[in-house]
Amino acid sequence: MKYEDLDLKIPIEANDYSECSKFITNSIDLIMKNAMDSERNKIIINTNLKLGIPMENVNKIAGPFVEAWAFEIFSEALEDKNNTYDLVNVEAGERLNMADVILQFKKTRKRSSVITGNVDVKTTSNDITNSGKSPNITSFARIRTAYIEDPNYIFVILSIKHKVYSTKDAETKMMMGVMEIVDFNSYDLKYISDSDISYNPALGTGQIQIRDIHYVSHQKRTVAEFCNLLDKKFLNSKKGFQQWHEYAIQNDWIK
């Protein structure tokens, strides 16, 4: 038996998938830009450590802080009476969910008036070379199954770059850590170029990774082509066809 001989389920997305994807990533970019331009890009961390936050280990704690900041920024955009983003709902991703934040936007389209973006927040340090450069994005089997179950699934990677410094409070004389958001980019995983996506066989069914999250190219493709790309990267790994076939049966990828 060979991969080419199998009768796979072929997901087919809506004709306006690309338009919806662009709408969501553009809206995320605008919300993030407005937060930075209005100087809402700082996270204050109070500590009684005389020397402030240990800079050499700050990347280990940055992720949860930045994820919480991003969720608050999206929530503030939703609550803004002058909400110009057509944002109608913001939810935190449940534990073990692939997404950290789930955003819903109002958009008129056939058979639907709302589109959903599943946002995975990734953090990198501006102070530490190669920090978060090649992050694990999600499990191979989970993301492939998500596209089979919903061909219109939009999975956005929001890459946020930060820097950290310490300053002394004039009244308390205590050190305050400041985590400042300095840059960001958002990408629809489905449209990230072949050369920028890699597969790491470690951890469960393996992890989809971005080779360098700071320099990502785009490549238009259908969801069926993306599933095929993921399969090829898996098949070319040490796990091979037999393991892929077991996952395909478990997750109902074959007709």
Side-chain angles (χ1 to χ4, degrees):
M1 186 185 301
K2 297 180 180 179
Y3 177 82
E4 294 76 12
D5 299 329
L6 297 173
D7 190 10
L8 298 176
K9 291 183 177 178
I10 307 298
I12 301 175
E13 67 270 46
N15 292 334
D16 64 345
Y17 178 100
S18 178
E19 179 185 333
C20 293
S21 170
K22 186 174 182 180
F23 181 94
I24 288 174
T25 53
N26 284 349
S27 297
I28 290 172
D29 288 348
L30 186 57
I31 292 170
M32 289 288 107
K33 181 179 183 300
N34 286 345
M36 294 180 67
D37 289 347
S38 59
E39 298 185 352
R40 290 180 292 136
N41 60 326
K42 294 181 178 66
I43 304 168
I44 308 300
I45 306 171
N46 291 317
T47 174
N48 63 350
L49 296 173
K50 292 180 180 179
L51 300 178
I53 296 175
M55 298 299 292
E56 67 274 13
N57 292 314
V58 71
N59 59 312
K60 296 179 181 179
I61 65 169
F65 279 102
V66 175
E67 288 172 19
W69 172 85
F71 180 76
E72 285 196 5
I73 292 300
F74 289 127
S75 297
E76 289 172 3
L78 176 65
E79 295 165 1
D80 185 355
K81 293 181 180 179
N82 298 316
N83 180 354
T84 58
Y85 315 107
D86 290 323
L87 185 63
V88 295
N89 189 41
V90 178
E91 295 179 20
E94 297 178 357
R95 186 173 178 271
L96 301 181
N97 193 312
M98 289 191 293
D100 297 308
V101 185
I102 299 169
L103 305 176
Q104 291 184 305
F105 296 88
K106 179 173 64 177
K107 190 176 191 306
T108 302
R109 54 199 299 254
K110 290 182 179 179
R111 304 181 185 178
S112 176
S113 58
V114 171
I115 55 176
T116 301
N118 300 273
V119 184
D120 183 21
V121 180
K122 296 299 180 187
T123 62
T124 62
S125 172
N126 195 56
D127 307 307
I128 303 173
T129 303
N130 293 330
S131 163
K133 175 183 174 182
S134 304
N136 287 332
I137 300 301
T138 187
S139 156
F140 163 76
R142 291 185 72 189
I143 192 65
R144 196 196 188 291
T145 301
Y147 285 113
I148 293 295
E149 294 177 347
D150 180 9
N152 295 303
Y153 187 72
I154 298 177
F155 189 73
V156 178
I157 300 163
L158 175 57
S159 172
I160 297 178
K161 185 179 285 190
H162 61 85
K163 66 178 181 180
V164 179
Y165 56 91
S166 294
T167 183
K168 184 177 286 187
D169 185 279
E171 294 184 8
T172 65
K173 307 301 181 183
M174 304 300 287
M175 295 300 291
M176 292 191 310
V178 180
M179 192 172 290
E180 186 174 26
I181 310 305
V182 296
D183 200 6
F184 67 91
N185 284 290
S186 61
Y187 317 101
D188 184 337
L189 177 63
K190 177 184 157 186
Y191 290 142
I192 292 179
S193 71
D194 186 342
S195 60
D196 288 320
I197 296 176
S198 61
Y199 170 76
N200 181 352
L203 301 176
T205 65
Q207 289 284 315
I208 302 302
Q209 295 181 323
I210 304 299
R211 295 187 191 280
D212 187 344
I213 201 164
H214 302 306
Y215 299 97
V216 175
S217 299
H218 295 80
Q219 182 176 338
K220 274 292 188 72
R221 56 168 72 89
T222 66
V223 68
E225 290 170 339
F226 187 62
C227 287
N228 182 252
L229 169 65
L230 296 179
D231 288 346
K232 286 182 177 179
K233 290 184 180 292
F234 183 100
L235 294 168
N236 289 333
S237 75
K238 64 181 182 180
K239 290 196 172 185
F241 175 76
Q242 189 58 45
Q243 184 64 76
W244 179 92
H245 191 248
E246 290 181 19
Y247 292 149
I249 293 173
Q250 291 171 11
N251 294 285
D252 203 24
W253 300 341
I254 304 172
K255 287 184 182 179

